[in-house]
Amino acid sequence: MIATRRRLARQATRRTTLPRVGLALAGGGPLGAVYELGTLAALEESLEGLDLTALDVYVGVSAGGFIAAGLANGVTPAEMCRIFVESNSHEAPFDPAVLLRPAFREYAQRAASVPPLLLAAFWSYLSDPLGRGVYGALQRLGRAIPTGVFDNRGIDRFLKHAFAAPGRTNDFRELRHELYLIATDLDTGAAVELGAPGTEHIPISTAVRASAALPGLFPPVEIEGHHYVDGALKKTLHASVALKRKVRLLLAINPLVPFDSRLPRAYADSPKRLVDGGLPAVLAQTFRSMIHSRMQVGMQRYETDYPDADIVLFQPNRDDADMFFTNIFSYASRRRLAEHAYQKTRKELFERRHELGPLLARHGITIRLDVLADAHRHLVRRHARRRAPLDAKAAVDRLARSLDDLERWLALRAGTPRAFAE
């Protein structure tokens, strides 16, 4: 109770010092988390007046919950890159294999249920052999199928260890800033804001695990008699969680967008028809299309429901083959994708500087053009390649982008849009 009163007092103090700034991070599995880290690292060094570990409100969904929980605990994007991308942190070493351990406990529990289920199916068939049939009686054996392939308890253990370090906490009530991790109640289908009043006593590590429990991949997480699965089942960003708490500037990152293989900038090795990529490509495109469609609807609604808030969305381009085809369980791929997201965000900030500059200035944030103009900056420094000399085609491309940028700037002379999303 005392900790809750302290938290409410801190929140009341923050409300008197508007504008409030928030961050919403969508899901996307390990792939999405790495992309978000690269994007956040670029924002951290390129935006003067923005401290990503001192925002007012953090909202994390699924893999985005990992990152949001770290930032709320004062862990910088650069530090998280060392932990999750470089895997060279001595303080909190992360082994990607923790995500791939079989759920043996789940397997054993389901296997133990097979004999009684078979007996029940047998008696069900005998009681009404013509009405139920053999297949109808055996349907109940579906209850013996495991609810997840991999064990997600290692996530909880890792985060407990990481948040036990001095200055960090695994308790929502002890955070200096508001953190909300979104999960879905399996039995009702309702989205639940873990960290909100009534749930703030749940350990942050357990809330992250619940928010990231993707059905079929990880078993549901049981908390106080309720079973929770991935928070992305209801919405992509859940940005309204921050907006309804009077956030006036919301930075949002969505790492999953549908891929358009017919765009000219898609690299040559990517198939022109995704069906040629087999089932993985088809499923990936289907999932991304569903996620992105819901997010677009949500963004339009946010503009109507929260007209006083500025929303800036960062996400991959539709022709981003690196993001779509990356094998995230490859060590080299994680490094390359983080660097890719970092450089893409730097480029986007520069190209949209005339749009974003006035918007961010309203919240005391300035785009550092000197940082963006530094061609030698890299996120993964030790393995960064030197930039090749500028050839004729690159010069033409740069000129075309500059002309497009000038055209956008002239158009903005009539007024600056409120929210910018790709």
Side-chain angles (χ1 to χ4, degrees), residues 52-113:
L52 289 172
T53 64
L55 305 182
D56 295 288
V57 181
Y58 298 88
V59 179
V61 183
S62 192
F66 278 85
I67 313 303
L71 292 171
N73 258 292
V75 186
T76 67
E79 290 175 304
M80 280 190 274
C81 281
R82 288 194 292 271
I83 295 173
F84 295 110
V85 178
E86 301 280 2
S87 297
N88 66 356
S89 171
H90 299 292
E91 179 184 352
F94 178 75
D95 181 5
V98 74
L99 301 174
L100 299 175
R101 291 171 182 166
F104 290 120
R105 175 181 292 185
E106 173 73 3
Y107 299 165
Q109 290 175 345
R110 297 291 168 171
S113 70

Side-chain angles (χ1 to χ4, degrees), residues 338-355:
E339 180 71 24
H340 172 72
Y342 170 81
Q343 297 296 351
K344 189 268 182 187
T345 305
R346 282 168 45 83
K347 177 182 177 182
E348 180 178 355
L349 285 172
F350 183 80
E351 292 179 345
R352 298 174 62 190
R353 64 191 183 280
H354 297 305
E355 298 176 353

Side-chain angles (χ1 to χ4, degrees), residues 337-403:
L337 181 59
E339 180 71 24
H340 172 72
Y342 170 81
Q343 297 296 351
K344 189 268 182 187
T345 305
R346 282 168 45 83
K347 177 182 177 182
E348 180 178 355
L349 285 172
F350 183 80
E351 292 179 345
R352 298 174 62 190
R353 64 191 183 280
H354 297 305
E355 298 176 353
L356 297 180
L359 183 152
L360 295 172
R362 294 201 293 267
H363 305 277
I365 300 172
T366 305
I367 299 177
R368 292 193 57 185
L369 296 180
D370 60 320
V371 172
L372 297 178
D374 185 356
H376 300 289
R377 285 183 176 266
H378 295 277
L379 178 61
V380 186
R381 298 179 183 278
R382 290 178 299 171
H383 298 270
R385 296 179 179 178
R386 294 186 177 182
R387 174 171 292 189
L390 189 66
D391 57 20
K393 182 179 182 301
V396 172
D397 291 341
R398 174 176 291 183
L399 176 60
R401 289 195 300 269
S402 298
L403 292 175

